[in-house]
Amino acid sequence: MFKRTKVSAAAVLALSGLGIGLGQAQAQVQLDRVEITGSSIKRIDAEGALPVQVFKREDIERTGATNTVDLLQRLPGIQGGTSEGTSVGGGGAGFAGVSIHNVGETRTLVLLNGRRLTQYGGQSLTGSAAAVDLNTIPIAAIDRVEILTDGASALYGSDAVAGVVNFITKKNSQEGDLTVGASIPQDGGAQEYRVSLTKGFGDVDKDGFNFLISASADKRTKLDGVDRDFSKSGVINFHHNGNRYQAFLGSPRAVPANVADNAGDLINPYFEANGSCAPGNVAVVANGKTACYFDFVRQLEIYPERERQNLMLTGAVKLGNHKLHADLVYSKTKNVGRIAPLAADILIEEGTALHTQYLVPLGITGDAFANWRGADLGKRTDINKSTFASAVVGLEGTLAGWDYKTGVFYSENKYKNDIAGYPGGLALRRELNRGVVDPFVQPGQQTQAGLDALNAIKFSGYWDGGDAKLSGVDLSVSKEIFNLPGGAAGFGAGVQAYNEKFAGKPSLFAQGKLADPVTGRECDPAAVFPSPDACDQRAGDEAAIVPYGADRNVVGVFAEMVLPVTKTLELTAGVRYDDYEKVGNTTNGKLSFRWNAAQGLLLRGSLGTGFKAPTVPQLNASPQPFGVTSAPYSCTTNPDLATVAAQLGVQCRPGNVQYDVIAGGNASLQPEKSEQGTLGIRFEPSTNLSFGADLWHVQVEDAIGQIAEEEAFAKPLVYNTWTSKRDNSTGITFLALNQGNVNLGKEFFTGIDFDIVGRTATPLGRLTTQLLATYMIREDRQLIPDGEYFSAIGNNSPSLGFVSFRWQGRLSALLETGNWKHSAAVNFKSGYKDAELDVELLGPGDTLTGQFATVQRNIGRYFTFDWQSQWNINKWLSVTGGILNVFDRDPPLSLSTSGLNKGQMFGYDDRYYDPRGRTFYANVSLKF
């Protein structure tokens, strides 16, 4: 299915799939020279010194992937990219990225037809999502995907530390294709419907021109967490080491609300009056007092609703030995993530009606905090809208014996985030003080006046956004310049110059400049509550977001040479100079070799260096509120956290709750510097069997990132990651986590990519099988310079907040018989140690015992099986049907509550496993 090759299908056939025995193949057939990802020199070699995986159109279709996001997530060498599930309370903003070998999506360079694209307009100031959004790449227009798994390309940029993913669109095609399809999970939810149309006109070689249009659209419905057993509740009973336990992930911000008594302990007035918690809440006892925690997991939509439309236009005109071409890509994506209603800490002031009615009978004096869930406001909703446009005008051909390619390129990604279900914090405080809104009643039991008040202050509309732009020019040339014993030496050189620009565009409400967010009335910065002119902010996670904008120019110059020293040994040397405005300049090189050691045996390797500059927001964004922590934390159970709060002169938040996060740019950030190398073997004992393995290594100095929240809260006195934030609703300054950009230290990554391909004729037809796998040998990261190393291989490390799978693989088989093609695939991931969690021991009948333990479960190996059949009825019409996850394997139980790029889901880890279950799909294609 996956061919490690570097040329067109014609070259693959001519060279028996691997290109061993090149001289004989060249003597038998004349091959066109083509440019391959990883080199600027046009060549006819089928297998080069650098490891490149090619995923062709037919391979894409056989995976059952309906978009580039799903496609790349099926590759064993891809780990650590942002998934769509992150949009469910994880701040993903609708973005989906790709990371090679878990080295990082910001270190993985994504190209379209060999050229850079702008980063995501919704990227965060910490660098999250500072990469190309895969939703913008139209899969219907893709002819093949080339993945260079060796980093720091001299051709494309020294910032490609992890490698390069190059999407190649259809060119010079006259084919017409109309495809309609649907994907339907067996258990409901996440239903997808799609249509695409592609048509080409003219042949560049025969007619002197070609024009191609490709348009596609798809729509997917939401998937509610309650529709799957593994995600339906924050209460999970499970077995571990012979005992029965209960894990619970809930929020003290409940409905009806909890309140802090005079001793600072949480109690629930509804529980005190009724002897039980209201539906949707779970009783939690601490210090002999009972609070009710809200089961917010039941409210989650674990697979976001999504709509996409893509359009690609490409044209080419032949001008003698030259070709003028233009490409235009336009895409729109809408992603809707919904989570539980507003969670807010509100101040119940002494003397108000609410205080008198509910708190005085409980002996609570003075102002008190109530932890409330605004159920009558409806779910909090993020509507993430992204518009992407890319245009390229280029000229290529041969001039004075030189192959050349030059072009002007521009791309832009505009991001817009609309929200719903949020009131202003001061507006809510006014209604509470008036006694109109009652936080101590169940959902649906507000008075009509209370409902009217909530509806009047509930905001829906534009919240935040961003605009990322990339514009530039490039020129590259190559030529065979002299002869060596092994053949002609090739020389290539080029220059790229581009401008990166980013602007953060928060609304006036997000900036904290409105007195009335609903009407848009601006505030008086000098006014204070209870003045109606005081500046209001969003309730629950107030954030005065600071708008900012910056840009920079980047110039890169490169050169490389291919030296066929002998008939069997070839050396390649490349060097690149980059100058990043306001960051600095750098020179990096790469050396590689390819040695045909014997008939059917190829050895290859490379060494190189890289350089990754901080993003524009990472350098320039002002410090500002950045949401809340993924998990709740408590000063009561963590004395060191209370010590930090006392040192800063601020308060801890009462109870076990989420904390505010502050983040910002850092003008003192140093660029990341890397070294990487590969060593590979290709062995083909016959034309029906081939084997390949590539050992790769990447090491990074001055890695840019943030201290994981779990590590910061576990060791609050170790890391200087603390600050304060004034709560707009209460006027109190609380402890907050500072997750601004810093240089953490060193990182090391080592692994092996394997592939084995076998081909044989059977009585039923030709059978092709392939095993692709990646084995992680080492992954070590420092969180502070010269500090301790942490590894996530086989371990959901709380210090890092994610998992690296020791093994990932895909075993596939394709049977071609007559007009039918049948394919099957097994996808597998190795097991790992889950995050630790405090759980309660259960007694007979699953009764709670009040005894707690800290457990860390072992998550086992995970396998899924896919099937597809394609019937080519005639040369015009084909029907494809398949099943993903044939045996309906649920994701394994995970007790992880937080982590890098994780949504709010509990019971399974949304970053690594698909929640849809057994999914049926079908496509009907009409060729014309």
Side-chain angles (χ1 to χ4, degrees):
M1 181 175 297
F2 299 91
K3 299 280 190 183
R4 281 190 178 268
T5 174
K6 302 180 67 180
V7 290
S8 63
V12 175
L13 292 174
L15 302 176
S16 302
L18 282 180
I20 309 299
L22 178 61
Q24 179 182 0
Q26 286 178 315
Q28 294 175 352
V29 62
Q30 180 63 41
L31 299 177
D32 292 333
R33 292 183 298 163
V34 296
E35 183 180 310
I36 297 304
T37 297
S39 176
S40 65
I41 301 172
K42 287 191 173 184
R43 311 169 63 194
I44 59 175
D45 304 56
E47 195 70 41
L50 302 180
V52 178
Q53 296 178 351
V54 176
F55 202 37
K56 298 185 294 183
R57 183 71 207 176
E58 54 266 35
D59 302 324
I60 295 173
E61 293 173 349
R62 281 197 294 271
T63 66
T66 59
N67 53 75
T68 53
V69 179
D70 289 345
L71 170 64
L72 292 180
Q73 288 177 345
R74 283 169 166 75
L75 299 181
I78 302 300
Q79 286 200 55
T82 302
S83 68
E84 292 180 282
T86 310
S87 297
V88 183
F95 171 84
V98 57
S99 168
I100 296 176
H101 296 148
N102 211 13
V103 178
E105 62 193 7
T106 61
R107 299 170 181 159
T108 300
L109 185 59
V110 176
L111 307 172
L112 184 64
N113 294 321
R115 285 189 167 92
R116 288 175 176 262
L117 299 172
T118 188
Q119 296 174 345
Y120 191 48
Q123 65 182 275
S124 76
L125 46 82
T126 64
S128 175
V132 173
D133 180 20
L134 296 180
N135 289 299
T136 64
I137 309 294
I139 195 170
I142 299 302
D143 180 65
R144 67 186 188 276
V145 182
E146 297 180 351
I147 302 176
L148 172 64
T149 56
D150 179 60
S153 165
L155 170 60
Y156 300 114
S158 52
D159 58 339
V161 173
V164 178
V165 178
N166 191 7
F167 292 95
I168 311 296
T169 59
K170 298 176 181 178
K171 300 290 184 182
N172 200 31
S173 172
Q174 296 80 47
E175 184 181 69
D177 180 282
L178 173 63
T179 299
V180 295
S183 298
I184 310 294
Q186 173 181 281
D187 297 323
Q191 298 177 352
E192 181 180 304
Y193 305 92
R194 52 191 174 270
V195 60
S196 66
L197 173 65
T198 302
K199 177 57 181 172
F201 305 90
D203 186 295
V204 171
D205 296 322
K206 296 180 180 179
D207 305 315
F209 76 94
N210 176 261
F211 174 75
L212 184 141
I213 179 172
S214 179
S216 61
D218 62 79
K219 183 175 183 178
R220 186 184 66 206
T221 63
K222 64 182 176 67
L223 172 58
D224 290 310
V226 294
D227 290 339
R228 298 293 187 269
D229 287 340
F230 52 80
S231 60
K232 65 183 180 181
S233 174
V235 180
I236 297 175
N237 295 342
F238 65 98
H239 286 94
H240 179 69
N241 290 342
N243 293 317
R244 183 87 168 153
Y245 293 98
Q246 181 176 100
F248 175 55
L249 179 63
S251 170
R253 294 163 176 135
V255 54
N258 295 301
V259 65
D261 64 13
N262 289 344
D265 296 317
L266 288 184
I267 60 175
N268 190 275
Y270 180 92
F271 180 90
E272 296 296 325
N274 297 277
S276 64
C277 291
N281 295 274
V282 175
V284 175
V285 179
N287 297 328
K289 301 171 184 178
T290 302
C292 298
Y293 276 52
F294 185 67
D295 186 1
F296 68 86
V297 176
R298 294 183 58 84
Q299 303 282 324
L300 300 178
E301 297 176 5
I302 59 176
Y303 221 54
E305 175 186 332
R306 185 193 65 206
E307 296 181 23
R308 287 185 299 215
Q309 299 88 39
N310 300 97
L311 174 67
M312 189 192 78
L313 303 173
T314 181
V317 178
K318 190 173 184 180
L319 305 172
N321 291 329
H322 314 280
K323 183 174 68 174
L324 177 67
H325 64 88
D327 299 315
L328 173 66
V329 176
Y330 179 80
S331 68
K332 293 175 62 178
T333 304
K334 178 182 176 182
N335 172 294
V336 182
R338 299 180 182 92
I339 59 176
L342 173 73
D345 296 333
I346 56 180
L347 187 66
I348 308 297
E349 297 181 29
E350 188 174 27
T352 61
L354 290 173
H355 193 283
T356 301
Q357 179 180 355
Y358 291 103
L359 306 190
V360 170
L362 298 177
I364 298 176
T365 59
D367 296 346
F369 283 108
N371 302 138
W372 180 56
R373 181 71 54 170
D376 292 307
L377 290 163
K379 289 185 178 181
R380 287 171 289 176
T381 303
D382 280 286
I383 304 172
N384 303 297
K385 301 176 183 178
S386 172
T387 302
F388 172 80
S390 170
V392 176
V393 178
L395 186 68
E396 60 185 72
T398 303
L399 185 64
W402 289 82
D403 293 320
Y404 76 91
K405 182 173 73 173
T406 185
V408 179
F409 54 93
Y410 173 84
S411 58
E412 180 176 10
N413 190 292
K414 292 184 177 180
Y415 168 74
K416 179 181 179 182
N417 172 224
D418 293 344
I419 63 171
Y422 291 90
L426 296 184
L428 177 61
R429 186 176 174 184
R430 291 188 185 96
E431 300 304 328
L432 290 166
N433 285 348
R434 289 200 305 127
V436 178
V437 174
D438 190 340
F440 299 109
V441 297
Q442 295 188 64
Q445 294 185 357
Q446 294 284 345
T447 64
Q448 188 59 49
L451 292 174
D452 291 343
L454 288 174
N455 288 329
I457 63 175
K458 183 168 59 174
F459 175 83
S460 296
Y462 177 66
W463 171 251
D464 196 6
D467 191 357
K469 298 178 181 179
L470 180 75
S471 57
V473 296
D474 60 31
L475 170 66
S476 62
V477 297
S478 66
K479 183 180 181 180
E480 295 178 348
I481 56 176
F482 57 83
N483 291 319
L484 289 173
F491 173 77
V495 59
Q496 299 166 341
Y498 57 91
N499 175 266
E500 294 179 301
K501 184 177 295 184
F502 185 84
K505 299 180 177 180
S507 66
L508 290 177
F509 183 21
Q511 295 179 54
K513 293 185 176 181
L514 297 181
D516 187 339
V518 176
T519 65
R521 180 170 60 86
E522 295 192 28
C523 64
D524 177 2
V528 296
F529 184 84
S531 169
D533 295 324
C535 296
D536 207 352
Q537 296 178 22
R538 190 168 73 174
D541 54 347
E542 296 88 350
I545 303 176
V546 181
Y548 65 95
D551 70 334
R552 69 177 173 210
N553 294 313
V554 182
V555 177
V557 180
F558 68 89
E560 69 173 329
M561 289 196 69
V562 176
L563 303 171
V565 180
T566 69
K567 293 294 184 181
T568 61
L569 177 62
E570 178 183 276
L571 303 179
T572 303
V575 63
R576 183 181 181 93
Y577 171 83
D578 290 289
D579 186 0
Y580 288 82
E581 184 182 13
K582 304 172 185 175
V583 176
N585 57 65
T586 177
T587 300
N588 295 277
K590 181 178 289 291
L591 294 173
S592 58
F593 76 93
R594 185 188 65 173
W595 178 34
N596 288 86
Q599 181 68 30
L601 178 63
L602 172 71
L603 302 178
R604 64 185 178 193
S606 68
L607 288 173
T609 61
F611 177 93
K612 177 70 172 66
T615 67
V616 171
Q618 283 179 321
L619 289 169
N620 297 282
S622 302
Q624 55 195 274
F626 195 63
V628 296
T629 58
S630 300
Y633 300 94
S634 171
C635 276
T636 303
T637 58
N638 190 339
D640 288 346
L641 196 61
T643 299
V644 170
Q647 291 173 346
L648 294 176
V650 299
Q651 292 190 29
C652 285
R653 287 193 176 273
N656 188 40
V657 298
Q658 293 167 296
Y659 273 70
D660 292 298
V661 178
I662 306 294
N666 181 355
S668 299
L669 277 181
Q670 297 300 306
E672 297 179 336
K673 295 174 285 293
S674 68
E675 298 178 5
Q676 47 271 316
T678 63
L679 183 62
I681 181 172
R682 313 294 305 169
F683 178 55
E684 184 178 337
S686 74
T687 57
N688 292 323
L689 178 64
S690 63
F691 167 83
D694 287 284
L695 173 69
W696 51 266
H697 174 77
V698 179
Q699 59 188 61
V700 180
E701 293 185 10
D702 296 323
I704 297 172
Q706 298 79 38
I707 303 298
E709 69 173 67
E710 301 94 324
E711 180 74 4
F713 278 92
K715 305 171 185 176
L717 297 177
V718 174
Y719 301 104
N720 184 25
T721 56
W722 305 103
T723 185
S724 61
K725 182 179 178 297
R726 184 178 182 273
D727 187 292
N728 189 55
S729 298
T730 64
I732 296 174
T733 301
F734 290 107
L735 182 68
L737 176 66
N738 183 354
Q739 282 200 312
N741 299 294
V742 292
N743 290 109
L744 299 177
K746 296 180 181 179
E747 298 180 354
F748 296 87
F749 309 85
T750 307
I752 305 176
D753 292 332
F754 297 94
D755 70 88
I756 304 173
V757 180
R759 308 172 187 88
T760 185
T762 74
L764 297 177
R766 183 170 178 78
L767 177 66
T768 302
T769 58
Q770 182 171 42
L771 171 66
L772 278 179
T774 293
Y775 178 76
M776 295 287 290
I777 298 173
R778 181 187 184 190
E779 183 200 49
D780 291 317
R781 308 178 191 236
Q782 290 178 322
L783 296 180
I784 54 176
D786 300 320
E788 178 184 359
Y789 282 97
F790 298 91
S791 177
I793 294 180
N795 179 35
N796 192 351
S797 165
S799 303
L800 299 176
F802 56 86
V803 175
S804 289
F805 291 92
R806 177 74 73 179
W807 277 103
Q808 281 196 154
R810 180 178 175 91
L811 174 64
S812 62
L814 169 66
L815 178 65
E816 300 173 272
T817 175
N819 293 336
W820 287 88
K821 293 182 180 180
H822 304 285
S823 60
V826 178
N827 311 286
F828 60 92
K829 296 177 182 289
S830 57
Y832 64 92
K833 288 185 177 295
D834 197 14
E836 292 183 347
L837 190 70
D838 291 334
V839 296
E840 186 169 0
L841 181 68
L842 296 175
D846 280 353
T847 57
L848 298 174
T849 64
Q851 302 176 42
F852 291 86
T854 300
V855 301
Q856 185 177 33
R857 300 182 65 256
N858 289 319
I859 293 180
R861 295 181 295 271
Y862 184 74
F863 296 82
T864 60
F865 180 76
D866 301 333
W867 176 269
Q868 183 189 98
S869 291
Q870 182 182 79
W871 180 28
N872 295 312
I873 300 174
N874 52 44
K875 64 180 181 179
W876 301 288
L877 183 64
S878 66
V879 178
T880 302
I883 307 173
L884 301 176
N885 195 356
V886 171
F887 298 112
D888 200 23
R889 290 285 310 278
D890 285 342
L893 171 64
S894 171
L895 303 181
S896 176
T897 60
S898 61
L900 183 66
N901 292 332
K902 189 182 184 306
Q904 290 190 1
M905 286 71 89
F906 184 58
Y908 81 103
D909 202 314
D910 56 280
R911 298 170 293 182
Y912 312 121
Y913 304 100
D914 190 332
R916 288 175 294 179
R918 181 183 293 124
T919 300
F920 301 91
Y921 67 90
N923 297 306
V924 179
S925 297
L926 176 65
K927 308 291 185 182
F928 58 93

